Amino acid sequence: MFYKKHRKKILPLMVIPIFILIWELYILMFNVEAYLLPRPWDLAQATFGFFVNGDMMTHILVTLQEILLGTAIGLVIGLVLGYVLAKVKFLERIVMPFVIIVQTAPKISLAPLFILWMGLGIASKVVLVVLVVSFPIMINEVLAIRSIDKDVYNLMKILKSNKLQIFMKIELPYSLEMLLSGIKLAVTQAMIGAVIGEMIGSKAGLGYLVVLGGETYDINLILASVFILSLMGYLLYLMFDIIEKKTLSWKAIEVDVIG
Amino acid sequence: MNDFCLQTKGLNKVYHSVLKGDTVALKDINLDINKREFISIIGPSGCGKSTLLRILGCLDKPTSGEIIYQDGKEQEMGFVFQDSVLLPWKNVRENAGFPLVIKKDKTKESWDKLDDLLELSGLSDFKNSLPKELSGGMKQRVSIVRALSYDAPMLLMDEPFGALDAITRDHLNLELLKIWEMTKKTIIFVTHSIEEAVFLSDRVIVMSARPGQIKEIVEIDLERVRKESVRDTDKFQEYTKYLRGIIG
Ligand SMILES: Nc1ncnc2c1ncn2[C@@H]1O[C@H](COP(=O)(O)OP(=O)(O)O)[C@@H](O)[C@H]1O
Ligand SMILES: [Mg+2]
């Protein structure tokens, strides 16, 4: 009974011990040197050490801050710009081609530019994240407003509603719907932006630790940072997934990657 | 003695398009519609029925011609669209009462009347259901209650039952007549079903396509209150046959 009820959660969890076992066996069988690949237990101990003796927590918070701040600002900018573009037709016709061009260019490649302009601190990464997040949100917002049925506007017209009511009762809810389902993807993109920014030039953060580990031949530091990053990404995704499911319960069911 | 509800004089509507050239959607539409009348508009698809209805509802402007409303252009009107266009995040009662919210009508009287309408339409048990949980017929019921909620004297309906199966459709036709008899609204009803038009209407306006013109207006002289059994009478059959002949 217990197994049946929680099968969806138990099965993925079973993969972890199997993975660790294979890892352990691989090292034993092929005599892999510890500086190339540490044994799982050693890595766990080293990771613990980074928290207790080092300042791993500070680095995690730096990266988290860049992600959350950048995502929040990026969402607002993307929403506002998208809404304006969707409502002002001629502006859209002028601006949209450029938006598409910039959108297809890898924005991450602008990282060195921002670091040059804004230094090694947190600001340059936040700006990079803002850039990465705001573009897809903006485009989705244009589409979200555009996809509102013409008859919904006709309904508002027949009810003699004013502009503010159309915004508050129709456009805002439809935007939030888009936002809540887009935020999961946005936050994943944001993490990539922040980490790559850190790797190119910074003094703190998990991306910085990965580079530091590479330069000092500290395989434990690299693996610990990557592991924490993956966990962070997963938890962020999960968090927004739960928020989305709670707030968008009125939506028709759709297939999801996780969960 | 018949109060007129609205009158159109020489309505024309041309859609301009660079690619396809101009489309004459309506040509010289002259109509007199009386208060408390049930009017159907019927015709092949693309003949301008929706265009005409939108213009009557002031959702669109005619290219030329004018409409005179007995109670002024600003009078309240209800509109039922072909798709129910419910707001997916609102439940049945919130959707049906949406016009009251927009019109900032918080009176107990209006909301009590809304509950009566929901009861009458068999929606009482679904007040808290979301649109995604409803069948097509139920959604359209909600959208009709929504259009009735603010007691507009005029109700415009654009093929409201077009997407429904025949049984649901007959059922909703009866319900609509019940509501119309109770509230005595003027109803202008677009359909492409001849049976539906005959069953519901006092008069049927037959339109022809390209350009959209009024071909004939047929008075339906069947007993009121109409029951389901009306459909089996010879007179009903004659009307449908006659209309089929004109539209042909
Ligand atoms: N917004 C529009 N722009 C251009 N042409 C339109 C528009 N709406 C309708 N038409 C054209 O006008 C004609 C009448 O359309 P419509 O009123 O929707 O017909 P019906 O409702 O009878 O099917 C059609 O030929 C249609 O292509
Ligand atoms: Mg139509």
Side-chain angles (χ1 to χ4, degrees):
Chain A
M1 272 316 277
F2 179 82
Y3 172 73
K4 259 202 174 144
K5 209 167 143 199
H6 296 276
R7 185 164 56 181
K8 266 187 150 168
K9 281 173 201 146
I10 290 173
L11 281 180
L13 281 178
M14 298 246 301
V15 174
I16 296 174
I18 294 173
F19 177 73
I20 291 177
L21 195 71
I22 293 174
W23 180 354
E24 188 79 53
L25 283 177
Y26 173 76
I27 291 176
L28 287 177
M29 269 163 46
F30 296 98
N31 266 323
V32 183
E33 301 277 2
Y35 72 90
L36 289 177
L37 185 64
R39 295 173 64 168
W41 180 243
D42 292 341
L43 177 63
Q45 274 184 319
T47 307
F48 186 71
F50 292 138
F51 276 98
V52 179
N53 307 319
D55 42 9
M56 181 57 94
M57 216 49 222
T58 324
H59 292 287
I60 292 178
L61 288 179
V62 166
T63 304
L64 205 58
Q65 199 184 354
E66 290 163 358
I67 294 173
L68 294 181
L69 202 61
T71 305
I73 300 173
L75 289 181
V76 174
I77 291 180
L79 266 185
V80 172
L81 288 183
Y83 183 74
V84 172
L85 278 190
K87 295 303 277 189
V88 188
K89 277 254 161 60
F90 90 98
L91 208 61
E92 193 213 337
R93 240 172 281 148
I94 298 169
V95 177
M96 220 42 181
F98 297 101
V99 171
I100 306 277
I101 293 171
V102 178
Q103 170 61 16
T104 50
K107 283 167 289 296
I108 305 252
S109 58
L110 292 175
L113 203 61
F114 289 123
I115 289 160
L116 207 68
W117 285 341
M118 314 182 77
L120 297 176
I122 186 173
S124 52
K125 283 81 188 176
V126 172
V127 171
L128 193 64
V129 173
V130 168
L131 200 68
V132 170
V133 169
S134 58
F135 267 92
I137 293 289
M138 177 170 85
I139 290 170
N140 281 327
E141 169 70 0
V142 173
L143 294 178
I145 297 293
R146 191 66 47 75
S147 71
I148 298 174
D149 196 321
K150 246 184 78 200
D151 281 340
V152 173
Y153 285 106
N154 280 333
L155 173 69
M156 295 308 274
K157 195 166 170 187
I158 208 96
L159 297 177
K160 305 190 199 331
S161 67
N162 58 40
K163 286 224 166 70
L164 182 67
Q165 285 175 321
I166 294 178
F167 177 73
M168 294 299 289
K169 304 280 182 195
I170 305 291
E171 290 168 342
L172 197 61
Y174 271 115
S175 300
L176 287 180
E177 175 198 353
M178 178 282 298
L179 197 65
L180 282 163
S181 41
I183 200 166
K184 279 187 304 189
L185 209 67
V187 88
T188 322
Q189 297 292 314
M191 199 171 84
I192 299 173
V195 170
I196 289 186
E198 286 171 354
M199 290 178 78
I200 288 173
S202 65
K203 286 173 295 195
L206 290 166
Y208 164 79
L209 289 186
V210 173
V211 173
L212 186 69
E215 284 167 354
T216 58
Y217 300 102
D218 188 346
I219 184 76
N220 284 328
L221 187 56
I222 299 178
L223 288 178
S225 306
V226 170
F227 174 70
I228 290 168
L229 270 175
S230 318
L231 196 66
M232 198 157 94
Y234 178 67
L235 289 179
L236 284 173
Y237 185 95
L238 216 59
M239 186 174 88
F240 287 114
D241 193 46
I242 291 169
I243 294 178
E244 182 191 345
K245 293 236 165 70
K246 283 254 150 66
T247 46
L248 296 187
S249 55
W250 48 265
K251 241 180 118 174
I253 318 291
E254 53 185 327
V255 186
D256 220 331
V257 193
I258 301 176
Chain B
M1 185 210 74
N2 262 328
D3 264 348
F4 88 97
C5 166
L6 67 84
Q7 207 171 32
T8 72
K9 288 185 181 164
L11 283 188
N12 290 295
K13 178 72 185 180
V14 183
Y15 286 110
H16 300 287
S17 157
V18 183
L19 284 178
K20 290 186 287 179
D22 293 351
T23 312
V24 182
L26 293 176
K27 193 176 171 211
D28 196 30
I29 303 287
N30 295 294
L31 272 179
D32 278 288
I33 294 175
N34 298 319
K35 278 191 174 155
R36 294 175 289 281
E37 205 175 5
F38 201 124
I39 297 272
S40 284
I41 302 174
I42 196 166
S45 99
C47 71
K49 304 182 293 291
S50 297
T51 306
L52 176 57
L53 203 66
R54 274 204 308 275
I55 290 174
L56 294 181
C58 301
L59 295 175
D60 211 340
K61 285 200 180 72
T63 313
S64 63
E66 64 169 336
I67 313 175
I68 301 156
Y69 299 91
Q70 161 98 320
D71 299 323
K73 210 176 148 144
E74 285 302 307
Q75 69 167 312
E76 296 283 7
M77 289 181 232
F79 206 113
V80 179
F81 303 92
Q82 176 151 21
D83 291 319
S84 48
V85 288
L86 303 179
L87 301 176
W89 57 87
K90 289 184 182 295
N91 67 27
V92 166
R93 190 168 185 271
E94 290 165 338
N95 261 300
F98 185 61
L100 299 179
V101 174
I102 292 295
K103 292 174 183 304
K104 304 200 175 71
D105 181 349
K106 293 196 182 100
T107 57
K108 191 171 177 301
E109 197 194 337
S110 299
W111 285 90
D112 281 350
K113 237 184 71 196
L114 181 75
D115 287 328
D116 290 345
L117 282 168
L118 288 170
E119 171 101 55
L120 188 73
S121 330
L123 288 165
S124 285
D125 295 338
F126 301 92
K127 275 182 193 171
N128 298 316
S129 304
L130 289 166
K132 69 168 181 185
E133 297 160 335
L134 304 179
S135 67
M138 301 261 265
K139 281 189 210 169
Q140 209 48 286
R141 281 193 177 100
V142 179
S143 120
I144 291 170
V145 173
R146 178 177 64 191
L148 293 167
S149 66
Y150 49 110
D151 208 12
M154 204 173 130
L155 191 59
L156 307 172
M157 308 177 85
D158 191 358
E159 299 193 31
F161 309 138
L164 305 179
D165 60 274
I167 295 170
T168 313
R169 191 178 185 136
D170 288 354
H171 198 75
L172 286 177
N173 279 344
L174 263 180
E175 277 179 29
L176 181 63
L177 277 189
K178 232 187 325 183
I179 289 170
W180 175 70
E181 259 134 29
M182 268 175 50
T183 56
K184 280 297 170 192
K185 291 180 189 306
T186 312
I187 296 186
I188 306 176
F189 187 98
V190 168
T191 177
H192 57 236
S193 157
I194 291 169
E195 279 76 15
E196 191 171 62
V198 174
F199 182 70
L200 294 172
S201 319
D202 297 320
R203 283 191 294 159
V204 177
I205 296 169
V206 182
M207 288 181 69
S208 63
R210 269 170 223 107
Q213 271 173 311
I214 295 179
K215 202 170 195 182
E216 193 169 331
I217 298 180
V218 180
E219 197 129 348
I220 307 294
D221 187 19
L222 292 169
E223 55 163 3
R224 293 281 187 191
V225 174
R226 281 180 205 163
K227 295 191 200 66
E228 199 61 37
S229 53
V230 147
R231 291 179 197 275
D232 303 325
T233 61
D234 290 341
K235 229 170 158 189
F236 186 92
Q237 305 288 348
E238 266 169 45
Y239 278 123
T240 53
K241 211 163 137 193
Y242 179 68
L243 282 169
R244 200 157 279 132
I246 315 177
I247 296 166

